[in-house]
Amino acid sequence: MGTDTLRTDAADGADGAAERRREQRGWYFYDWACSVYSTSVLTVFLGPYLTSVAESAADADGYVHPLGIPVRAGSFFAYSVSLSVVVAVLVMPLVGAAADRSGRKKPLLAAAAYTGAAATTGMFFLDGDRYLLGGLLLVVANAAQSVAMMLYNSYLPQIAPPEERDAVSSRGWAFGYAAGSLVLVANLVLYTGHDSFGLSESAAVRICLASAGLWWGAFALVPLRRLRDRRAAAREAALPGFRQLAATVRDMRRRPLTLAFLLAYLVYNDGIQTVISQASVYGSEELGLGQSTLIVAVLLVQVLAVAGALALGLLARRYGAKRTILGSLVAWTVTLAAGYFLPAGAPGWFFVLAAGIGLVLGGSQALSRSLFSHLVPPGKEAEYFSAYEMSDRGMSWLGPLLFGLTYQLTGSYRDAIISLVAFFVIGFLLLARVSVRRAIADAGNPVPERI
């Protein structure tokens, strides 16, 4: 029995179906556990707070000196995020190959999840001028999150037969956005009312950061109890370092259509990630909106992303995942074009833009994950999903670079935001050229009736 056991579980009768449903419900809860880190820590609280800690430690010229290297305090958070991506890219291929060869994903998932949760909880001690501690905890938490997500995603082809994957993947994203919304509301109540709770602003932020780690660790217990390992076929020993990454890439080159999908995903997902990271800058600098408006907009995106993920999952069942993703890329393009014409000082229209982003955000990401799961050869799930995560994390610098260069050349955030349309147009064209049915057959998987 190989690692693709549950590809045939649909034929196992009522007991097999019940066990599959139980695993799927457990799988959803990892998104519920870890998405709070992405929402409360990375998107809202850590960037501004770590920057303020670095500024308090800076010299008269505004520089801190980690390992003797002069770094402008305002850049320390961005550099820490970049370093965490480098660490993740180095570690993911090794962990993915080890998971596939041993068949023991669950202990590796537990190690990555609790390393990230512990580092996030440790952010409670990030006060005063401890910017180095903050940078270290961010690098560890972010890299661990990437490794854990790679392992988590690699379960999808094992717990859901082809005809269920779009719906299962969409529900996972919906669970994540629901948790992110719930905890962010609680955190914002604490943060905005910190005086009434007898807390300083710094203490309130540190509690919000640590609560994300505690939430992550507590709810990770559910998938770790319900997911099960599959016995792997005997394979050669794992290769060291970059040799493993090179071996994975060589294997993928034998499946050019899988690589073509990854290229399309790399392009349009870079656009998605840039919109997420730069929308608040656009709102504050170009539209003149206040912090409270931006926070409400983030909440609106989170809430509507739940509905969007579920709705696009239903559309995929009728029209196929590829067509639905292509439709979502058209929706992204229209949303950005509308954002270009938003009037300044009009929060209502910015909320409309946030609603548009939320409705396509979760679905486009969820369906991309489920579609890729069909293109993975049996027994190489974690290894291939490490490449998928690296496409997600490792190339997310190009969009911000284009955004920044456009602003530098034009002095207009409107021009910068509309420049991101290129990622969705090019991604659309690249994805449209991929014959996913042939790619699925080349990977050795059954081709669903609708894909």
Side-chain angles (χ1 to χ4, degrees), residues 313-439:
L314 292 175
L315 287 175
R317 292 174 65 179
R318 182 169 183 176
Y319 298 107
K322 178 183 173 181
R323 287 183 181 178
T324 306
I325 295 170
L326 290 173
S328 77
L329 298 182
V330 173
W332 274 107
T333 302
V334 171
T335 301
L336 285 183
Y340 177 84
F341 295 103
L342 284 186
W349 285 111
F350 190 71
F351 292 150
V352 172
L353 179 70
I357 291 173
L359 288 173
V360 293
L361 174 62
S364 52
Q365 293 177 313
L367 293 178
S368 297
R369 175 172 66 184
S370 62
L371 182 54
F372 182 71
S373 74
H374 293 282
L375 312 183
V376 177
K380 291 180 178 273
E381 290 86 1
E383 194 173 338
Y384 270 56
F385 267 106
S386 71
Y388 181 85
E389 281 294 308
M390 282 189 285
S391 297
D392 189 347
R393 314 278 178 175
M395 293 301 293
S396 57
W397 53 269
L398 187 57
L401 177 63
L402 176 62
F403 186 92
L405 285 175
T406 304
Y407 177 73
Q408 182 172 327
L409 293 173
T410 67
S412 169
Y413 281 107
R414 293 185 187 274
D415 291 339
I417 203 76
I418 201 66
S419 71
L420 301 179
V421 165
F423 289 94
F424 299 104
V425 173
I426 296 171
F428 180 98
L429 295 174
L430 291 173
L431 179 58
R433 291 169 56 88
V434 178
S435 172
V436 293
R437 289 186 172 276
R438 225 173 81 211

Side-chain angles (χ1 to χ4, degrees), residues 84-85 88-89 92 141-151 389 393:
S84 74
V85 171
V89 166
M92 279 192 291
N142 226 30
Q145 161 76 327
S146 296
V147 173
M149 283 302 295
M150 174 266 293
L151 293 165
E389 281 294 308
R393 314 278 178 175

Side-chain angles (χ1 to χ4, degrees), residues 219-232:
F219 285 103
L221 291 171
V222 178
L224 291 174
R225 285 179 61 87
R226 293 198 172 187
L227 292 173
R228 61 186 178 88
D229 285 329
R230 276 83 175 163
R231 186 182 308 159

Side-chain angles (χ1 to χ4, degrees), residues 116-125 206 209-214:
T120 306
T121 305
M123 292 176 186
F124 178 79
F125 301 102
R206 291 187 289 115
L209 294 171
S211 69
L214 295 173

Side-chain angles (χ1 to χ4, degrees), residues 178-193:
S181 303
L182 180 64
V183 174
L184 185 56
V185 168
N187 284 342
L188 289 177
V189 168
L190 177 65
Y191 174 72
T192 57

Side-chain angles (χ1 to χ4, degrees), residues 21 52 113 119 216 235 298 380 418:
R21 296 281 184 266
S52 70
W216 186 356
R235 296 181 184 268
V298 170
K380 291 180 178 273
I418 201 66

Side-chain angles (χ1 to χ4, degrees), residues 1-9 23 96-105 154-160 165 228-235 376-383 445:
M1 187 180 297
T3 58
D4 57 328
T5 302
L6 277 187
R7 296 173 191 267
T8 59
D9 264 1
E23 276 199 276
D100 285 332
R101 287 185 170 89
S102 67
R104 290 178 56 78
K105 293 180 188 177
S154 72
Y155 272 100
L156 181 58
Q158 298 179 338
I159 64 171
R165 283 185 207 157
R228 61 186 178 88
D229 285 329
R230 276 83 175 163
R231 186 182 308 159
R235 296 181 184 268
V376 177
K380 291 180 178 273
E381 290 86 1
E383 194 173 338
N445 294 320

